[in-house]
Amino acid sequence: MGRPTLNSVAEAAAVSRQTVSNVINSPEVVSPETRERVLAAIERLGYRPNTAARQMRTTRSQIIGLCIPPSGNGVSGVVLDQFLHSLTATAERYDHRIMLFTAADDEAETRAYADLIASVGIDGFVLTSTHHDDLRTRWLLERQLPFVTFGRPWGAEDTHPWVDVDGAAGTRLATDHLVRQGHRRIAFVGWPEGSGSGDDRRAGWAAGLAAAGLGEGPQIAVFDGVEGGRSAAARLLEAHEPTAFVCASDSLALGVTAELRDRGIRPGADAAVIGFDDTPTAAVLGLSSVAQPIADVAAECVRRLRTALRGEAGSEPATTLFTPHLVLRTT
């Protein structure tokens, strides 16, 4: 038996050759029933698209670029690892490959964009860690290059496709839960002002307190990490004696719980602590946390970028904001 072809898959699935092509390249235009039947035939026959021929026909490399930011702490940094794994798996389903590279700052990253476009013919980019005055997005927009960001264009208009998680909704869920549990002195441990995602998470906590009629609660901004969380908890306990803590990350929350234990305060019994990111460490240690739908975010990033590559973007930039959920454990 020879190598399976588009025609043999079409015959096995009792569909047209064009339908098989649509399932591979534009699955959203095919009905779920037909798509499943074609995918089953592809799997059964072991069909693989001829990538080289497609690249010659479309002049596309099927390569998507992603810059890996400098490694942070080993707790919250796992979120990027989860995103990268899900992004790669989703991209491979559409015969795209992810090319990873590093850069020290925004300017270095844009230089890398230019080099990769010239040397590899890269099709588009996925950006992470968006921030105020993001040079990278301006550079790509000016050159009309396809890209999507995991993160909102903080402080700017929606001028490009983006996918993000509603951090304010997550901390609001945490705060509302603590209010229902009877807490009235609910502190926030976050990052220094100016971080888009950090400010967003702080806003959800503040909105929860306001809705409960609790006024302005105690808060401290520190750099991310367990030690930052520990020092923030010490200062808050000495000045305000909170009975609950909402944290911008699991790393900070773990530092808070460590400080509580050192002071003989039992997390979950004497004081409540809720983190953000629902990392594997949080699950192992019983830390309550806000979970982000990272796999959904990655899949949507690939879908948005593929739409841009096909030139099908509408007049308004495509944006998606996912809602996280609260995972309650022992703290």
Side-chain angles (χ1 to χ4, degrees), residues 227-281:
E227 286 307 311
R230 182 188 283 274
S231 66
R235 290 155 59 190
L236 285 165
L237 287 165
E238 290 165 5
H240 303 283
E241 297 184 346
T243 63
F245 299 81
V246 175
C247 304
S249 72
D250 283 352
S251 299
L252 293 174
L254 290 171
V256 170
T257 59
E259 183 65 23
L260 290 175
R261 290 192 177 98
D262 284 353
R263 292 170 177 256
I265 302 170
R266 298 167 299 169
D270 302 323
V273 182
I274 299 179
F276 202 110
D277 288 332
D278 192 35
T279 57
T281 302

Side-chain angles (χ1 to χ4, degrees), residues 70-151:
S71 59
N73 67 79
V75 179
S76 295
V78 75
V79 174
L80 180 61
D81 295 339
Q82 294 170 345
F83 175 74
L84 177 58
H85 183 276
S86 296
L87 187 78
T88 302
T90 303
E92 287 179 349
R93 288 203 292 271
Y94 300 108
D95 205 30
H96 290 283
R97 294 294 180 269
I98 304 296
M99 175 173 284
L100 304 179
F101 59 100
T102 60
D105 52 33
D106 282 5
E107 289 189 3
E109 191 166 334
T110 58
R111 290 195 297 270
Y113 295 162
D115 290 342
L116 289 169
I117 291 167
S119 61
V120 183
I122 210 158
D123 290 340
F125 297 92
V126 175
L127 280 61
T128 64
S129 305
T130 55
H131 52 82
H132 293 278
D133 300 319
D134 201 321
L135 171 65
R136 304 169 302 164
T137 56
R138 292 201 305 273
W139 192 94
L140 292 165
L141 284 168
E142 287 169 0
R143 291 156 180 79
Q144 298 183 324
L145 297 170
F147 73 99
V148 63
T149 65
F150 174 13

Side-chain angles (χ1 to χ4, degrees), residues 16-35:
S16 68
R17 188 177 188 276
Q18 183 59 51
T19 297
V20 178
S21 179
N22 286 341
V23 168
I24 295 170
N25 298 301
S26 304
E28 63 275 6
V29 305
V30 183
S31 70
E33 297 80 8
T34 301
R35 188 165 62 242

